[in-house]
Amino acid sequence: MIPVVALVGRPNVGKSTLFNRLTRSRQALVDDQPGVTRDRLYGEVWRASQKVLVVDTGGLSDEADELSRAVRQQVDQALEEADAVVFIVDARDGLTHQDIEIGANLRKNDSPIFLAVNKAEGLDSATTGAEYFELALGDPSVISARTGQGVEELLGQVLARFPLSGEDAVDNGRRVAVVGRPNVGKSTLVNALVGEPRLIVADLPGTTRDSIQVPMDRYGQRMVLVDTAGVRRKSRVHETLEKFSVVKTLQALANADAALLVLDARAGLSDQDAAIAGIIVDSGRSIVVAVNKWDGLERRDRNQIRRDLTRRLDFLPEHESLFISALHGSGIGDLIGALQRAQGSALVELGTGALNRALASALEHHSPPMVNNRTVKPKYAHQGGRNPPIVVLHGNLLHKLPASYLRYLGRSLAKTFRLIGTQVRFELRKAGNPYSGRPSHHRRKRQ
């Protein structure tokens, strides 16, 4: 599974700024007022062939009010789930009694602890870090999350504790993450696919609290099914354990070749179902939709579900939707075939010649828009990655291409190569010889 790194510390020491710097995003709200981050925020950090999931937590304080207690519960749960912890202190404040107390608690943790002395821009590193040896957490890394000073060096130390991506993979077949709202029948479906009761099934939502890997060797196929805890709407999440299940779902998706989205036909299609489908698309995983509890449904209800699937999941790539009953086993064999096709699309090899012919056909059928009376036209393409399929486009002014046109290109290529359940992503580069070995400036733009 993808390693989890938790960022902890007092309020306003720069945890969210560091989170944004590491994830190269602006997901975390940053403000000079302490306590802006109250819940956990998580994001993927990619460096070369390694990936970790970073969790931004609320600031730990010694206040006794209800909100502070809730934040501490969230942080405690994050520490339990983390494979490593980055403890952030404020160089401008110096070592405080709260830092000493937090450090003492962290020393009881089994996970490796990395001490980051933040807000050190313009300060002498050796002098600034000296007083923090008192925490007995090893050599402090003196950084500035705002300017980036020392951040990559710190990240390098963290990544060195984990194997390269793929080194810890289970060689039992390709992985499928089984995701959906609570109580839609995910565990029942996994049991039906495997052919034996491997997982606990109950009518109460929230029975599954962790991601559980179940190898399957059936119907002539080998897979690893990862049953995940149900993702609830935030307003309905009360228990800390359930809140952190979202991280487990993201971990499962990050390590999967495809995702099986399970819906409840009797409950109807909800906004939360659409939101989970969006998470799958954002993760780049191929998708198969399984509409469970289809048995015994009235015709008008079945027709309504089909209409809702078309209307509310119209943002999904061309995919397969199957109507099944996990309890009675109907449609299970067809589901295995759909998952196999989705996995194959995620890992497809796109030959350079065929790819450029498909690109030329798409451009001829629908030309790119003009920009300042200049034609923006991709010149050639090659494959840049798999799962999801990444196509590297070379040309001039490609960053001017609107997202709608990239979506058109993605759909056109997917149709040409018969990709199912998979969305093509693009990496845009300035024109030049992609095989010369010379670096070229590029900007990735997701469709």
Side-chain angles (χ1 to χ4, degrees), residues 254-296:
N255 288 276
D257 302 303
L260 177 59
L261 173 61
V262 185
L263 307 176
D264 186 339
R266 300 182 188 279
L269 193 61
S270 70
D271 291 339
Q272 184 68 354
D273 292 319
I276 297 171
I279 292 174
I280 296 172
V281 172
D282 290 342
S283 73
R285 300 291 81 88
S286 290
I287 185 170
V288 173
V289 176
V291 184
N292 192 26
K293 307 180 185 180
W294 193 248
D295 51 303

Side-chain angles (χ1 to χ4, degrees), residues 268 282 308 320 338-339 369 416 419 443:
D282 290 342
D308 287 345
E320 295 186 62
L339 288 171
T416 299
L419 305 183
R443 174 189 174 193

Side-chain angles (χ1 to χ4, degrees), residues 16 57-58 75 77 81 89 95 99 130 143 151 158 195 205 207 232 240 250 280 282 301 346 356 369 382 433:
S16 296
T57 64
V75 176
Q77 184 61 37
E81 302 287 347
V89 295
L95 187 61
D99 293 329
I143 69 168
V151 172
V158 175
T207 304
R232 299 188 180 207
T240 302
L250 289 173
I280 296 172
D282 290 342
D301 295 328
N356 279 280
H382 62 91
N433 186 349

Side-chain angles (χ1 to χ4, degrees), residues 254-365:
N255 288 276
D257 302 303
L260 177 59
L261 173 61
V262 185
L263 307 176
D264 186 339
R266 300 182 188 279
L269 193 61
S270 70
D271 291 339
Q272 184 68 354
D273 292 319
I276 297 171
I279 292 174
I280 296 172
V281 172
D282 290 342
S283 73
R285 300 291 81 88
S286 290
I287 185 170
V288 173
V289 176
V291 184
N292 192 26
K293 307 180 185 180
W294 193 248
D295 51 303
L297 217 58
E298 297 289 339
R299 175 178 294 180
R300 70 172 183 275
D301 295 328
R302 292 187 174 190
N303 291 336
Q304 182 62 49
I305 288 291
R306 288 191 173 97
R307 287 193 295 269
D308 287 345
L309 285 173
T310 301
R311 178 175 59 89
R312 306 188 76 167
L313 299 183
D314 60 343
F315 59 89
L316 292 180
E318 191 72 27
H319 65 281
E320 295 186 62
S321 294
L322 291 93
F323 305 92
I324 68 168
S325 171
L327 185 62
H328 297 101
S330 58
I332 299 301
D334 294 336
L335 194 57
I336 294 294
L339 288 171
Q340 183 184 16
R341 289 185 287 274
Q343 288 175 326
S345 294
L347 301 172
V348 66
E349 291 281 358
L350 304 174
T352 301
L355 184 58
N356 279 280
R357 288 191 293 272
L359 176 63
S361 176
L363 294 173
E364 182 179 357
H365 185 264

Side-chain angles (χ1 to χ4, degrees), residues 29 41 118 258:
L29 179 63
L41 185 66
N118 192 28

Side-chain angles (χ1 to χ4, degrees), residues 203-225:
D203 290 334
L204 294 174
T207 304
T208 302
R209 291 298 187 93
D210 205 342
S211 295
I212 303 171
Q213 301 180 46
V214 181
M216 185 202 77
D217 190 352
R218 203 168 176 223
Y219 301 99
Q221 296 297 321
R222 297 180 66 199
M223 296 182 184
V224 176
L225 304 174

Side-chain angles (χ1 to χ4, degrees), residues 35 69 86 132 134 143 152 156 165 185 199 295 338 348 361 394:
R69 289 196 298 270
V86 176
Y132 294 95
E134 182 181 338
I143 69 168
E152 290 301 314
S165 298
L199 302 176
D295 51 303
V348 66
S361 176
H394 296 261

